[in-house]
Amino acid sequence: MKKLLVVLVNYGEDQLSFLQHVVNELKSFKKYHVTIFVNSNITLDRIKGIDYVNVIKLDDYQLLPLTCKQVIWNYKDEFDVFLFGENDHLFKEHHLDKYLHYNSILPENRITGLIQYEENETGKYYPAYHAHYDWDYNGVEKYTGLKFAHFTNIHQATFILTKEQLLKIGQMYDFTQFFGPSHYSVKCKVNTDIYQFCGMKKMICISDFEDNLIHHLPNIYINGEQGRSKLGNCEDKMKKSINKML
């Protein structure tokens, strides 16, 4: 049974119900021995299932997600797979299963990823699919019968790494710090740096597209809540794009 280290970030009390949901799902995994750390600015006594809570005080809490990388690096030799996530992204066991399978068939300069989605009665919405971001329609790649494509918005608020990938990155950069300048925010760079600077092109398995979606539980973009811009429901656009590449 593979040992999985999960390091989540939590800020404040507003999303503790989502955090509990995420922790419950992670602890239900059958094929992995799951250890969960949460780096938070508050104590989390009400949340059941967390193994360790690091209460961290910072002048700039935009940097709180970055502290999760220090935890991962501290335990680099003790686990087989490493997962970083925010407190409101619902990882399922098949995300890990698929990641490890894809990793076994992709070349070393490729890394598989996920697409965030939200959902309500109108269907699914993909927050990353906006502005100039789109699929690289001319760059579809095929490995052992599966098709993979690159989506130009590499942000997904999470990442999965094998120990081998983590150690390889650690030979190139100080894993606990940012790797280089980019247009992504400091919060986003905790995951986008992995896909932008480490010599591994991020690919989405479009043959198994539904299995490579991760739910952003608050649904604040699809509903236009909390001052978030409602950019429109992209379900039809996404389906047409995927079908174009298959």
Side-chain angles (χ1 to χ4, degrees):
M1 181 178 289
K2 290 187 179 295
K3 296 173 65 178
L4 170 65
L5 175 63
V6 178
V7 187
L8 305 175
V9 62
N10 175 81
Y11 181 80
E13 299 184 353
D14 291 346
Q15 299 201 125
L16 292 185
S17 62
F18 299 134
L19 176 61
Q20 185 66 77
H21 189 177
V22 170
V23 170
N24 289 347
E25 188 67 32
L26 288 163
K27 284 295 186 175
S28 74
F29 290 6
K30 304 299 184 185
K31 297 186 288 293
Y32 305 87
H33 184 276
V34 180
T35 300
I36 300 176
F37 281 74
V38 181
N39 284 11
S40 174
N41 68 317
I42 60 171
T43 58
L44 298 171
D45 298 336
R46 289 178 287 166
I47 307 301
K48 307 303 180 184
I50 299 173
D51 295 291
Y52 303 98
V53 177
N54 297 318
V55 178
I56 297 174
K57 301 300 181 182
L58 297 171
D59 293 329
D60 181 3
Y61 281 102
Q62 297 293 310
L63 297 174
L64 186 59
L66 180 63
T67 66
C68 295
K69 292 176 69 178
Q70 181 69 64
V71 178
I72 290 173
W73 191 249
N74 288 348
Y75 291 91
K76 63 185 182 298
D77 298 319
E78 299 181 31
F79 292 86
D80 304 301
V81 190
F82 302 83
L83 184 157
F84 161 75
E86 297 183 354
N87 62 3
D88 55 6
H89 284 69
L90 186 61
F91 271 97
K92 299 280 191 174
E93 188 164 14
H94 71 258
H95 291 133
L96 274 294
D97 296 341
K98 292 289 186 179
Y99 184 87
L100 294 176
H101 173 62
Y102 300 148
N103 188 63
S104 72
I105 64 175
L106 290 174
E108 290 186 4
N109 63 350
R110 297 292 185 264
I111 184 171
T112 189
L114 303 170
I115 296 285
Q116 298 163 290
Y117 79 93
E118 297 185 342
E119 190 170 28
N120 64 13
E121 66 280 357
T122 68
K124 285 188 173 70
Y125 169 64
Y126 305 92
Y129 206 170
H130 71 278
H132 63 281
Y133 295 113
D134 206 341
W135 294 94
D136 176 7
Y137 295 98
N138 297 317
V140 177
E141 301 176 9
K142 191 173 183 179
Y143 301 95
T144 64
L146 296 175
K147 289 186 176 181
F148 294 80
H150 176 68
F151 190 70
T152 58
N153 188 346
I154 57 176
H155 175 58
Q156 64 177 50
T158 65
F159 64 73
I160 305 171
L161 293 172
T162 64
K163 178 187 290 188
E164 292 75 19
Q165 289 169 329
L166 175 61
L167 296 178
K168 178 182 176 181
I169 293 170
Q171 291 176 345
M172 295 184 282
Y173 301 101
D174 178 350
F175 186 79
T176 68
Q177 302 300 315
F178 295 125
F179 300 159
S182 75
H183 67 280
Y184 292 99
S185 71
V186 293
K187 289 195 298 182
C188 295
K189 277 174 60 58
V190 175
N191 78 95
T192 59
D193 274 8
I194 300 294
Y195 309 115
Q196 189 172 6
F197 297 110
C198 299
M200 297 181 291
K201 185 176 183 180
K202 182 183 177 183
M203 306 296 286
I204 308 297
C205 183
I206 56 175
S207 300
D208 300 331
F209 183 68
E210 292 293 326
D211 289 334
N212 294 288
L213 302 178
I214 187 166
H215 192 184
H216 182 229
L217 294 170
N219 292 327
I220 54 178
Y221 291 96
I222 193 171
N223 295 324
E225 296 176 356
Q226 299 181 25
R228 301 304 202 278
S229 174
K230 184 173 181 178
L231 303 173
N233 191 310
C234 295
E235 185 164 29
D236 290 342
K237 182 180 179 182
M238 183 66 83
K239 286 180 179 178
K240 291 177 181 177
S241 298
I242 298 300
N243 289 335
K244 182 178 178 179
M245 294 183 290
L246 287 175

